[in-house]
Amino acid sequence: MALKKPLAAVAATALAATLAACGGGSDDGDSSGNSGKAEKGGNAIFFVGVRNVEHWDPQRMYIGRDLNNSGRLFYRSLVALPASNDPVEGTTPVADLATDTGTTTDGGKSWSFTVKDGVKWEDGKDITCEDFKYGASRNFATDVIIGGPANYLFTYLDVKTGADGLPEYKGPYTKKGQDQFDKAVTCDGKTITYRFKKAWPDFPLSIAQLRYMDPYREDLDKGDANNFAIISNGPYKLDGGWKEGTGGKFVRNENWDESTDPIRKAYPDTWDFREGDTDEAIYEQLLADSGDAQYAVTERRLPPALFSRKDEAGDRYTQVESPYVDYVLPNFNSEVFKDANCREALKLATDRAAWIKAGGGEEYFKAADSVINPGVPGYKPNPAFDAMGESGDPEAAKAALDKCAAPKPVKIKFTYSGGTPTSDKQASALKAGWDKAGFDTELDPLEDTYYSVIQKPDADFDVTWGGWGADWSSAGTVIPPLFDSRINLTGDSNGNDYGNYKGGAEVDKMIDDAYAEPDLDAAADKWAAVDAKLGEDVAYIPLEITIFNFVHGGKITGYANNVSVNGYADLAVIGVEK
């Protein structure tokens, strides 16, 4: 049967309502009256800021901003989400490079898609079934293609698992186990079929939300050297190269056929992506609405120090409750946090209220009590964090730390995504609470690249920061991607298990049981039980739910913060005044 309505539509309702109330947009280039109707022409700017793009390789991308922007400008896949803020429409895949949204005749245990006629790469070559098959194969080269959501294919694709808990197929560079992959993914003319170990009804939605199943050109693949190479099949292509720390310019791709694309309006003639500006520098320009910032949008949030000036922006200011939860997590490879008492002490000493206040207060954050966002069906507060309170419990933390085997004071290094006044203030707020309990905390801000550092298994930190939103509306897109060691931990990377957590046979079985549960309510209960176990082990400590605070330039048209792009600016429908 063809996919009709994904589960994501349920959880999107609250986000969509928030967006609509704050000037969110639609798919016609007219955004609730806060900017004019978009038309073709002009040059637009995207301020990336100091949080550099870490990957443009589609199989390695896993940061929401980059997934959204690339999928609106230069990467297409079999299906995609439309540019809509409607809670159902905006979370229901539509055909993109495929002729329909996929068919299954066995309840989701296999899915088939047929590639459209007339879709091409930027050099004019046809996009083929084999390009999709090759793109999928790259996920299995875990020594080269690091950082993406390969865990889903490891869990579902009908490829055997080895003694190390990882697939026996090792990707297209070594071709070890290639025969297994060739049976699981097949091409028949323009039709590609994926075969799974168990039913995967949400498979088309995973394609729409992520980039891991995008097509890729085998003849242009240079492995890790292609990290910033962009082989476009969308409306724009990179003009020259991408310069890390500076950015790049995207121009129209003459081999994109608009008649094959139901989503991307491609209004501006060019998009100039700029890295390196501080949040303060970006927003001084945006608030003044001066110079070329008039033609700009950003995913950087209005700094708290400038929040009192938001009225200067008028209806160019939007506030959106995001689907993302921020958290900290102890490193289980750390000599300190191998000790459960040390982890318990860290949890009890964590002052979430101070973190939120330092980050701008209730206009910027809502306290979280789980790594799972409340918008995900079946969400339950994690009882393991009840004892923390909003501000921690210093005395209880001291008592737990007394049982910790590490020498006193307990020296720890907190590695976080830093480099802005706000992030540094928030890190200092956590340090104050931890040190009050008896830790001696060293702050280690990473200013340029972040995830590529903390994803190294031997990275030198004791505590780190993470941020996560469900890939689609299931706790199964939160807990396993973050804490299933079987699909995360390899010799070259910890995947998204930044704290190198290993739950062992007990947690592995709990995860498997939750995956296998066909009843959605019962499955939600099982995921909540896994989450509670993670809390008992202090695999993570929840901080808050992020609220987006954006300002865009006055000459931007059709501005939209759509649910289909998780509340970010939807570049599929944005234009500029000419």
Side-chain angles (χ1 to χ4, degrees), residues 43-87:
N43 303 304
I45 296 167
F46 189 93
F47 284 123
V48 180
V50 297
R51 294 291 175 268
N52 293 351
V53 173
E54 297 193 19
H55 309 289
W56 278 135
D57 183 323
Q59 273 76 43
R60 298 183 66 175
M61 296 168 61
Y62 214 170
I63 293 176
R65 171 198 66 190
D66 304 333
L67 292 166
N68 293 325
N69 291 342
S70 62
R72 291 327 204 186
L73 299 184
F74 47 85
Y75 287 149
R76 300 175 65 184
S77 196
L78 294 165
V79 297
L81 296 182
S84 173
N85 196 38
D86 181 88

Side-chain angles (χ1 to χ4, degrees), residues 29 56 190 204 302 351 445:
W56 278 135
K190 289 195 167 191
L302 177 66
D351 190 339

